[in-house]
Amino acid sequence: MNHLDKLENKSIHILREAYANFKNLCMLWSVGKDSTVLLWLARKAFFGHVPFPLVHIDTHFKIPEMIEYRDRLALEWGLDMIYGENREALEKKLTYPDGNVSRLECCRLLKTEALKNTLNGKWPRYRLNHEKKCYEPDTNTEPFTGVIVGVRADEEGSRSKERYFSPRDKNSDWDIGDQPPEFWGQFKTDFAPGTHLRIHPLLDWTELDIWEYIKRENIPTVSLYYDRGDGKRYRSLGCWPCTFPVESNAKTVDDIIYELKSGKFANIAERSGRAQDKEDGGGLEELRKGGYM
């Protein structure tokens, strides 16, 4: 069994444990490389059928290719696709692109608040109708109490403090100092009623692992990850006003793997193109305590 086989087996084990132990489960899909690998693993874990909804928080400032990719794959793979949004902030133009709030405040409103109120069912959710190929208001307002997320420990400092099964309180607040230990592959899956769970099956994966797995499994990815002729590509995807490409001539998955192995980005953070990470001294921990992904 090689390195990727071991990672795959552990992630599938965590996915199955989550499905067996928690009701009202959903999986966040940002359409980036990590959450798409997570989606692929979920399809493998449950023999081609993902038995819980995929949830996407649409800020309405995502790069258009990302939304096209999301909806195309959702239809092709028969995914139960839901999206949520912060309609009030958008209508009042309380956004960074409109010049009315900072980048971090924009993230808090369009991502954190939208996610919190999408998961608890207090704000409208929109579900993909596969027959009509369009989104319709979701009549199910039941809260999701378990959320599977594709974060990796090596991606950014605050993510390295997560557990595989990470509890939040009823307000989605994260107490970093009060998390269960997870020794020797033993996971705590028994929590008090009212606990909101974040489940992280990809914590042990690195950026290189993700790309090598994408190559091995031939997983489709958004074209934005590749140089399309201007010597630039996105290494991490987000909203277009705050996400910038890196200098790179990588046009294929093999090129990206070579680039990572060569050490080209050894001293450059994976999220170096995400402007909001730098606005608060480089830390996202406060946003993540409130629910940011």
Side-chain angles (χ1 to χ4, degrees):
M1 186 181 293
N2 64 29
H3 177 61
L4 289 181
D5 291 332
K6 291 177 182 175
L7 288 173
E8 179 188 71
N9 285 353
K10 185 171 184 178
S11 297
I12 286 177
H13 171 66
I14 293 169
L15 284 164
R16 289 175 175 164
E17 282 290 297
Y19 184 63
N21 285 284
F22 304 112
K23 294 180 179 178
N24 299 329
L25 198 62
C26 70
M27 177 185 286
L28 297 189
W29 187 26
S30 70
V31 255
K33 61 188 186 303
D34 302 327
S35 59
T36 302
V37 163
L38 187 60
L39 169 57
W40 186 269
L41 289 164
R43 295 176 80 224
K44 273 199 162 185
F46 302 104
F47 308 102
H49 169 67
V50 182
F52 32 74
L54 276 290
V55 173
H56 180 81
I57 299 303
D58 194 343
T59 63
H60 296 269
F61 290 104
K62 297 293 184 186
I63 303 171
E65 285 97 321
M66 296 171 66
I67 302 301
E68 184 279 328
Y69 168 88
R70 178 194 74 184
D71 293 341
R72 177 168 51 80
L73 234 58
L75 289 169
E76 287 179 6
W77 290 357
L79 303 174
D80 184 7
M81 189 74 224
I82 291 172
Y83 83 80
E85 62 186 3
N86 188 339
R87 177 48 50 188
E88 182 179 355
L90 291 165
E91 289 178 349
K92 291 182 177 177
K93 297 189 179 300
L94 296 174
T95 74
Y96 173 76
D98 287 305
N100 296 323
V101 299
S102 68
R103 284 190 167 100
L104 281 181
E105 180 63 6
C106 187
C107 276
R108 189 187 71 79
L109 291 170
L110 298 189
K111 295 180 180 176
T112 306
E113 286 302 309
L115 175 63
K116 189 185 302 182
N117 288 290
T118 296
L119 295 179
N120 64 26
K122 292 181 178 177
W123 288 1
R125 301 190 290 222
Y126 302 90
R127 199 171 215 123
L128 180 60
N129 182 319
H130 281 256
E131 289 185 3
K132 297 179 180 178
K133 299 183 179 180
C134 66
Y135 287 87
E136 298 176 335
D138 188 6
T139 56
N140 181 0
T141 59
E142 199 169 355
F144 293 115
T145 53
V147 185
I148 304 169
V149 187
V151 304
R152 302 185 344 256
D154 78 324
E155 186 183 359
E156 179 269 327
S158 64
R159 288 168 167 81
S160 66
K161 300 175 183 178
E162 292 281 9
R163 299 289 189 269
Y164 299 105
F165 291 89
S166 181
R168 263 66 167 172
D169 67 16
K170 62 182 180 181
N171 297 316
S172 295
D173 291 334
W174 181 31
D175 185 350
I176 296 172
D178 184 21
Q179 300 187 89
E182 293 179 326
F183 298 132
W184 306 294
Q186 302 296 309
F187 310 125
K188 176 177 170 59
T189 56
D190 181 19
F191 294 93
T195 305
H196 174 83
L197 256 292
R198 299 284 172 87
I199 300 130
H200 304 110
L202 296 185
L203 269 191
D204 296 331
W205 294 58
T206 66
E207 183 183 11
L208 179 59
D209 294 331
I210 290 290
W211 281 110
E212 289 187 324
Y213 191 72
I214 287 170
K215 174 183 166 62
R216 187 181 92 167
E217 303 287 313
N218 195 26
I219 301 172
T221 46
V222 186
S223 61
L224 297 163
Y225 281 120
Y226 309 97
D227 171 24
R228 294 177 291 178
D230 59 355
K232 297 178 185 294
R233 71 175 183 87
Y234 288 89
R235 198 173 163 203
S236 177
L237 296 178
C239 296
W240 61 262
C242 298
T243 307
F244 303 98
V246 297
E247 302 287 335
S248 170
N249 297 116
K251 293 181 169 59
T252 65
V253 174
D254 281 329
D255 292 343
I256 291 174
I257 291 170
Y258 175 80
E259 205 169 54
L260 292 172
K261 285 184 171 179
S262 74
K264 173 177 178 175
F265 294 120
N267 297 313
I268 302 174
E270 184 176 345
R271 290 173 61 95
S272 60
R274 306 289 287 275
Q276 72 270 33
D277 287 28
K278 303 166 186 171
E279 194 165 89
D280 189 29
L284 284 177
E285 194 160 302
E286 290 306 312
L287 268 180
R288 287 185 57 74
K289 284 179 182 176
Y292 180 79
M293 292 288 80

